[in-house]
């Protein structure tokens, strides 16, 4: 289904969505970055730099209350929100991130806390001329309920699910030829980072990267955990139990495999007790294990770890370094 | 779902992040501010977890009064009236100077200002101080004397514009991670890096030169470098002639510090000292970065003087990429000093002994003010132990774990007639209190904080405080009013307006300006002034830069036959000070769940100690049990113990030998004995 919306249509659509969903749209935050926040009926920031926070955090938050165990022996799960989430404004990489962790949390045994939020949610992609200074952003062509594509004058809307079709049903059909042109533009964009990540992945799988490299890289790690916390495909968590007035609350919180305690044994021995081992393992997971398991890397090319790393050893930086040194 | 931009509550770097909260008013996470000049979309591990302690069940939620040795909840009115009456009674019986007020580098500028007003105008004493006494009091004394201003001279952006960074006594990647990372990035770009530290810290792996000098030998090292610079004729003669005074006295004082003599004291090789001197002097622009490794000595002020002399000698001052850059530890330790939470100055370092300043504050506050400088925090502990301080109000500090020689602190707190503590958690210090008041934490109140680069920034309320907890500024206003002092501020913004009127360096700062930007670096003398990223540009704050010669004095207590190892104390990357916040943050506490001592494998072997074995560490002041961590991070003969832990508290061991000028204890050097448990 292809539709065409003008600016008024878009606002009408958002108004309609806000009745059924807790609608989050991109907005400019105080410091000038963009983030997904509840729509207030008027403000949106539909174009600009990528969203600062990974959207996967809305389904798998940094602190996620799981269950409250009352002193009376009763267990209660959090009530949850009245309305399901609708996330508007995700680019191709953000959508890939959600799709990646969907697969993880949906795998048996399924994670019902995650799925409860996720399955009821509506996901809206946002691509086309919506980058910084209206730069073109590649089309998603899936991985969402519907995709809003900005051409130079209108919004094209492509539905991929029944839900997506339902919400777009009232709007006029869009021009197929314009969509085709946008698709061609999108496919013509060569991602330099994508090439480097794929080549680095192949080199790692072929065991072409020696430990001395990881020693160098890990010597620059300051153990902030930012690479994990910023990564949309990182799903590791630990469990925290806390006393409340009338029982204990169990939550899961984001973990980081760059931390020493991540794999430390109760004895105190740590099979991953150095930054070298941990850094190598983290990158191997994304670029060696994930391709073997899922047929794709665990890096969805969003660049967040490169932005979050204070010392310049994010995924793109590491892959560039691997390629420049070991790709013969 | 809400995102509230605020300033990180941990170190003095001044990172900003968003507090993320849900509809129920619970914090759900942290997101670094992507375009903020200090954080740049990045945070350290503590920053990423800065929400984690806020909803901990240990939070204080009601005023507590101690009766028959047990705390019972009470109402705010009677709690505030009790504090006021008890402190007044003590002041009436023994004089106002029998009271002591501990302010905090964890509360806002406005709150520090209000507490110093309460001490001075409300109770008539200048006995107010805070934990800067334990960290950078040596800096304030040393740099005010030589340059006229006790703050970091340059800005964080200068790390992007320097040819050489000389880090001495600062484990920057662990203690100021977002500054340490700038140093690492600069080094990757080709900036030279010299690190002087007895421990093999992360920066030393990247340093062009690692000077592993003996703890406490800094003056000898720096004097040795200066002597060499003069010998080589590498001093900046033009700068010295135009912008400094007292060079001849410095020159004379350096005569004995030959490389051979300095090598004997520091344990370095002659050539290392010469190489360091030449590299520093030859750089077009060089930054000195230092922290507690310089200040926490019985000769901390001399260490600072020596560094100031070194920068002046080479003209590394007043330009981008240069300067003397003390890294302030807490998110508002700079501000707490600026606000006059110190015994000798009002806000803006206006001296209480100066009649004109005193009159100005006296008129503004409509109260006669005491003229004699008050007592330092470290002296106050000794005075309380001796029965001379009888009443104390402690706001957001935990001296039981943070001050040197815990036995003495315990004696001091036990000795008080009355102790009131305002805090967010029932700290080790609060256990000694007669009355405890529950405060809002950083995420629950508005205010401003001043970072290490003198940047005044907003802290913003994201959620409501728990139970009956109040923001500190409201508690202090209620106490001021009970003292008959006008305190009808509607918000911290009103307090800042009063600060600006009375404090020349903050005169141009108001909330409207801060709301529209990311902060203003003082001095900011008027409402149009853009702030001052670099101090001492045309001339030093005091006029001419003053060379202040220093002589080498060894630490007060060095290893001997009975206590053969040198103990150095400090922090780790994971925890914060006395652990009241980080030890209640799951991920952080899991990373380092208990006290440990770093010990060199050579020493461990000779003492028959294995990895993770429990050991006794004893000094002349006490004994603790900790786990051994065998590592060559510490040199043979030295152990390092962080002071974050109540069990295995490093400050049971430390020596409360004070620098005679700054009153800072010698946390970095004392003698200990280690035995297997």
């Amino acid at each position: 289904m292809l539709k065409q919306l003008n600016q008024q249509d878009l606002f009408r659509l958002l108004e309609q969505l806000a009745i059924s969903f807790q609608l989050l749209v991109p907005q400019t935050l105080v410091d000038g970055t963009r983030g997904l926040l509840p729509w207030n009926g008027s403000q949106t920031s539909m174009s600009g730099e990528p969203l600062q926070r990974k959207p996967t955090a809305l389904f798998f938050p940094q602190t996620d209350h799981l269950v409250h165990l009352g002193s009376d022996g009763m267990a209660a799960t959090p009530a949850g929100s009245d309305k399901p989430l609708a996330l508007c404004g995700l680019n191709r990489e953000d959508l890939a991130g959600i799709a990646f962790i969907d697969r993880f949390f949906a795998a048996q045994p399924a994670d019902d806390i995650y799925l409860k939020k996720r399955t009821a949610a509506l996901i809206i992609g946002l691509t086309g001329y919506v980058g910084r200074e209206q730069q073109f952003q590649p089309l998603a062509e899936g991985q969402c309920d519907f995709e809003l594509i900005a051409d130079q004058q209108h919004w094209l809307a492509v539905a991929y699910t029944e839900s997506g079709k339902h919400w777009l049903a009232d709007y006029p059909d869009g021009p197929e030829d314009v969509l085709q042109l946008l698709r061609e533009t999108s496919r013509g964009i060569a991602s330099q980072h994508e090439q480097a990540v794929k080549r680095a992945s192949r080199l790692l799988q072929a065991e072409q990267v020696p430990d001395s490299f990881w020693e160098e890289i890990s010597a620059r790690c300051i153990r902030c955990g930012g690479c994990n916390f910023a990564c949309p495909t990182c799903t590791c968590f630990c469990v925290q139990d806390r006393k409340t007035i009338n029982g204990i609350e169990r939550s899961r919180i984001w973990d980081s495999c760059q931390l020493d305690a991540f794999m430390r044994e109760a004895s105190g021995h740590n099979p991953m007790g150095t930054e070298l081992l941990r850094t190598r393992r983290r990158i191997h997971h994304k670029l060696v294990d994930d391709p073997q398991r899922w047929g794709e890397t665990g890096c969805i090319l969003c660049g967040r770890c490169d932005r979050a790393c204070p010392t310049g050893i994010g995924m793109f930086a590491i892959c560039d370094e691997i390629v420049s040194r070991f790709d013969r | 779902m809400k995102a509230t931009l605020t300033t990180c509550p941990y170190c003095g770097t001044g990172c900003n992040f968003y507090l993320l909260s849900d509809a129920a008013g619970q914090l759900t996470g942290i997101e670094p501010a992507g375009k903020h000049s200090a954080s740049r979309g990045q945070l350290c591990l503590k920053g990423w977890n800065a929400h984690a302690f806020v909803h901990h069940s240990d939070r204080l939620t009601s005023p507590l009064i101690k009766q028959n040795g047990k705390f019972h909840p009470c109402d705010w009115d009677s709690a505030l009236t009790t504090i006021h009456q008890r402190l007044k009674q003590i002041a009436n019986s023994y004089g106002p100077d029998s009271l002591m007020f501990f302010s905090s580098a964890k509360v806002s500028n406005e709150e520090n200002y209000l507490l110093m007003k309460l001490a001075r105008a409300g109770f008539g004493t200048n006995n107010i101080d805070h934990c800067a006494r334990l960290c950078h009091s040596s800096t304030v004394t040393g740099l005010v004397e030589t340059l006229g201003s006790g703050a970091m001279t340059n800005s964080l952006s200068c790390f992007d514009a320097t040819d050489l960074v000389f880090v001495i006594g600062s484990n920057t990647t662990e203690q100021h991670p977002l500054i340490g990372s700038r140093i690492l990035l600069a080094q990757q770009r080709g900036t030279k890096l010299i690190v002087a530290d007895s421990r093999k810290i992360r920066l030393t792996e990247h340093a062009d030169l690692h000077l592993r000098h003996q703890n406490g030998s800094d003056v000898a090292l720096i004097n040795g470098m200066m002597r060499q610079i003069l010998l080589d004729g590498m001093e900046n003669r033009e700068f010295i002639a135009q912008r400094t005074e007292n060079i001849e006295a410095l020159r004379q004082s350096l005569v004995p510090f030959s490389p051979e003599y300095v090598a004997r004291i520091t344990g370095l090789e002659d050539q290392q000292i010469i190489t360091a001197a030449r590299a520093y002097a030859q750089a077009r622009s060089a930054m000195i970065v230092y922290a507690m490794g310089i200040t926490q000595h019985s000769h901390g002020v001399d260490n600072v003087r020596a560094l100031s002399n070194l920068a002046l000698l080479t003209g590394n001052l007043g330009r981008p990429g240069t300067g003397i850059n003390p890294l302030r530890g807490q998110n508002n330790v700079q501000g707490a000093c600026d606000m006059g939470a110190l015994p000798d100055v009002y806000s803006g370092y206006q001296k209480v002994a100066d009649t004109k300043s005193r009159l100005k504050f006296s008129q503004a506050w409509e109260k006669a003010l005491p003229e004699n400088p008050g007592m330092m925090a470290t002296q106050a502990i000794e005075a309380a132990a001796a029965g001379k301080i009888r009443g104390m109000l402690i706001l957001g500090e935990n001296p039981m774990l943070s001050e040197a020689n815990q036995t003495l602190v315990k004696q001091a707190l036990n000795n008080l007639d009355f102790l009131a503590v305002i805090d967010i958690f029932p700290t080790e210090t609060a256990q000694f209190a007669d009355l405890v008041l529950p405060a809002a934490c950083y995420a629950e109140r508005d205010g401003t904080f001043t970072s290490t680069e003198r940047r005044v920034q907003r802290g913003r309320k994201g959620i409501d405080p728990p139970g009956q907890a109040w923001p500190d500024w409201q508690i202090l206003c209620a106490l001021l009013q009970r003292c008959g002092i006008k305190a009808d501020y509607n918000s911290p913004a009103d307090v800042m307006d009063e600060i600006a009127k009375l404090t020349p360096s903050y005169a141009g700062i108001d909330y409207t300006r801060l709301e529209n930007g990311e902060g203003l670096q003082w001095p900011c003398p008027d409402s149009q002034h853009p702030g001052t990223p670099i101090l001492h540009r045309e001339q030093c704050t005091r006029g001419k830069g003053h060379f202040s010669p220093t002589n080498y004095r060894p630490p007060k207590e060095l290893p001997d036959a009975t206590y053969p190892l040198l103990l150095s104390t400090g922090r780790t990357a994971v925890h914060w000070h006395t652990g009241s916040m980080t030890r209640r943050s799951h991920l952080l506490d899991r990373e380092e769940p208990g006290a440990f001592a770093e010990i060199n494998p050579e020493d461990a072997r000779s003492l028959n100690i294995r990895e993770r074995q429990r050991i006794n560490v004893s000094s002349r002041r006490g004994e603790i049990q900790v786990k051994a961590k065998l590592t060559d991070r510490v040199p043979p003969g030295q152990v390092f113990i962080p002071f974050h832990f109540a069990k295995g508290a490093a400050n049971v061991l430390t020596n409360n030998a004070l620098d005679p000028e700054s009153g800072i204890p010698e946390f970095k050097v004392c003698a200990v004995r280690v035995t297997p448990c």
Side-chain angles (χ1 to χ4, degrees), chain A residues 22 24 29-33 36-38 49 52-54 58 61-63 65 85 216 218-226 229-230 238-240 242-244 253-256 259-262 264 267-269 275 306-312, chain B residues 1-3 5 18 20 22 26-36 40-45 48-49 51-57 173-174 177-178 181-182 184-185 188 202 205-206 460 515 573-574 584-587 590-593 612:
Chain A
Q22 188 188 1
L24 307 187
L29 306 179
V30 190
D31 75 324
T33 51
L36 288 181
L37 284 175
E49 289 178 9
Q52 169 76 26
R53 191 167 183 82
K54 56 182 181 184
L58 292 157
Q62 194 169 359
T63 309
H65 299 311
L85 281 171
E216 267 179 59
S218 62
R220 290 158 65 187
C221 174
I222 59 165
R223 206 172 23 147
C224 70
F229 301 140
C238 59
V239 170
Q240 164 188 284
R242 265 188 183 168
K243 274 190 263 177
T244 64
I253 56 178
W254 289 353
D255 209 336
S256 164
L259 296 181
D260 187 70
F262 184 77
R264 189 193 298 146
S267 67
H269 169 64
E275 262 119 24
D306 284 84
R307 293 194 290 274
C309 178
T311 61
Chain B
M1 200 173 292
K2 201 169 80 167
L5 184 67
Y18 289 95
L20 307 174
D22 62 19
Q26 296 278 304
L27 294 180
T28 57
I30 296 287
E31 182 66 34
K35 294 191 185 295
H36 184 265
R40 304 193 293 190
Q42 299 151 3
L43 289 172
C44 71
L45 185 63
W48 276 104
N49 284 278
H51 63 298
F53 68 85
V54 173
H55 300 301
H56 196 282
S57 59
T173 59
E174 295 201 30
L178 270 283
S181 62
R182 283 177 190 254
L184 286 182
L185 290 175
Q188 295 284 319
R202 170 60 29 114
E205 294 174 45
H206 301 266
R460 293 183 182 84
E515 208 54 52
V574 175
R584 292 180 174 92
S585 301
H586 181 78
L587 219 53
R590 187 192 68 170
E591 190 70 351
E592 271 171 11
R612 303 196 294 279

Side-chain angles (χ1 to χ4, degrees), chain B residues 13-298:
Chain B
T13 303
C15 294
N16 271 211
F17 56 62
Y18 289 95
L19 285 166
L20 307 174
S21 54
D22 62 19
Q26 296 278 304
L27 294 180
T28 57
I30 296 287
E31 182 66 34
K35 294 191 185 295
H36 184 265
S37 64
S39 33
R40 304 193 293 190
Q42 299 151 3
L43 289 172
C44 71
L45 185 63
K46 291 191 291 286
W48 276 104
N49 284 278
H51 63 298
F53 68 85
V54 173
H55 300 301
H56 196 282
S57 59
D58 286 351
R59 281 293 298 275
L60 295 167
T61 57
S62 163
L64 299 170
I65 190 159
K66 196 183 268 173
Q67 288 163 339
N68 302 321
K70 283 191 174 169
F71 285 113
H72 300 277
C74 66
D75 65 89
W76 270 102
D77 189 54
S78 57
L80 292 163
T81 302
T82 303
I83 293 177
H84 172 242
Q85 285 178 349
R86 293 293 306 275
L87 293 178
K88 275 287 177 199
Q89 280 164 6
I90 292 168
N92 289 339
S93 303
Y94 304 102
D97 290 342
S98 60
L99 299 178
M100 181 70 201
F101 294 80
F102 275 64
S103 194
S104 173
K106 275 280 157 281
V107 301
S108 67
N109 286 321
E110 293 77 3
E111 288 156 347
N112 272 289
Y113 174 84
L114 290 175
L115 184 59
M116 82 101 177
K117 185 172 176 176
L118 181 72
R120 291 179 163 130
F123 289 94
T125 181
N126 284 318
N127 285 353
I128 174 161
D129 205 356
H130 72 286
C131 63
R133 188 62 51 206
L134 309 178
C135 63
H136 270 296
S137 53
S138 309
T139 294
V140 177
T141 309
L143 293 188
V144 165
E145 179 194 310
T146 55
L147 306 177
S149 172
M152 179 168 170
T153 62
N154 285 50
S155 292
L156 301 188
S157 58
C158 284
F159 288 104
D160 303 335
T162 187
D163 295 325
L164 182 141
V165 184
F166 176 30
V167 181
I168 181 163
S170 160
N171 184 0
T172 326
T173 59
E174 295 201 30
Q175 301 317 323
H176 301 83
L178 270 283
I179 298 177
S181 62
R182 283 177 190 254
I183 296 173
L184 286 182
L185 290 175
Q187 190 272 339
Q188 295 284 319
R189 287 194 302 267
T191 297
K192 287 259 179 298
L193 177 61
I194 302 175
V195 182
D197 203 302
S198 61
R199 293 167 77 212
K200 280 187 191 172
I201 53 175
R202 170 60 29 114
L203 283 179
T204 61
E205 294 174 45
H206 301 266
D208 296 279
L209 184 62
H210 176 196
L211 303 171
R212 210 173 188 189
H213 63 310
Q214 275 290 335
N215 277 29
S217 66
D218 307 88
V219 164
L221 168 63
I222 301 157
N223 280 357
M225 286 171 67
M226 286 192 284
R227 181 185 176 277
Q228 189 64 40
I229 288 167
L230 286 169
L231 193 70
D232 290 340
M234 288 181 177
E235 73 274 22
N236 186 331
R237 285 174 205 150
E238 191 183 337
F239 186 91
I240 293 167
Q242 289 176 2
R243 295 205 39 191
T244 69
E245 62 185 26
N246 212 29
I247 180 68
E248 278 316 311
L250 177 78
R251 201 186 292 273
Q252 289 304 315
S253 74
L254 297 176
V255 171
F257 290 89
S258 66
E260 300 75 26
Y261 174 63
V262 173
R264 275 203 303 279
I265 297 171
T266 58
L268 298 171
E269 289 168 18
D270 305 6
Q271 196 54 44
Q272 287 180 299
I273 299 150
I274 296 167
T275 306
R278 287 177 179 163
Y280 179 81
Q282 281 172 336
R284 275 174 305 175
S285 58
M287 294 176 81
I288 294 171
V289 173
Y290 74 88
M292 308 297 89
I294 282 295
T295 58
Q296 290 178 333
H297 290 278
S298 57

Side-chain angles (χ1 to χ4, degrees), chain B residues 108-111 445-449 456-460 473 491-497 499-500 508-517 520:
Chain B
S108 67
N109 286 321
E110 293 77 3
E111 288 156 347
R445 66 190 205 275
D446 288 312
T448 60
F449 301 98
V456 185
Q457 313 188 91
R458 280 295 313 276
R460 293 183 182 84
W473 69 271
S491 70
D494 289 351
V495 184
M496 181 51 83
D497 289 345
I499 293 167
I509 293 172
D510 65 54
Y511 272 47
T512 313
R513 292 189 76 188
L514 296 179
E515 208 54 52
N516 295 334
L520 291 162

Side-chain angles (χ1 to χ4, degrees), chain A residues 15-168:
Chain A
E15 276 170 4
Q16 287 171 337
L17 290 170
I19 295 167
S20 304
F21 294 94
Q22 188 188 1
L23 174 64
L24 307 187
V25 297
Q27 296 181 38
T28 304
L29 306 179
V30 190
D31 75 324
T33 51
R34 294 166 75 237
L36 288 181
L37 284 175
W39 190 49
N40 62 9
S42 60
Q43 283 177 341
T44 58
S45 170
M46 296 297 267
S47 64
E49 289 178 9
L51 300 170
Q52 169 76 26
R53 191 167 183 82
K54 56 182 181 184
T56 48
L58 292 157
F59 301 119
F60 173 49
Q62 194 169 359
T63 309
D64 202 2
H65 299 311
L66 302 179
V67 63
H68 186 265
L69 302 169
S71 42
D72 56 2
M74 299 296 284
T77 51
S81 169
D82 296 342
K83 293 178 184 177
L85 281 171
L87 309 186
C88 173
L90 309 188
N91 65 18
R92 183 172 69 173
E93 289 76 26
D94 290 341
L95 294 171
I98 291 177
F100 195 95
I101 71 165
D102 277 353
R103 196 167 45 195
F104 170 77
F105 283 113
Q108 291 300 323
D111 187 303
D112 55 346
I113 300 281
Y114 176 88
L115 293 179
K116 194 172 155 188
K117 283 179 264 192
R118 175 66 186 92
T119 48
L122 188 79
I123 305 289
I124 305 164
L126 183 64
T127 58
Y129 293 95
V130 290
R132 191 174 51 181
E133 294 167 353
Q134 268 70 45
Q135 277 179 344
F136 188 84
Q137 299 299 299
L139 272 51
E141 303 194 47
Q143 298 191 324
C144 56
D145 291 290
F146 65 87
E147 179 178 10
L148 289 170
I149 307 165
D151 73 2
Q152 307 286 17
Q153 289 155 344
H154 300 94
W155 296 94
L156 297 188
V158 186
Y160 301 110
T161 66
E162 289 307 311
S163 181
K165 286 174 189 166
H166 165 76
W167 290 104
L168 294 178

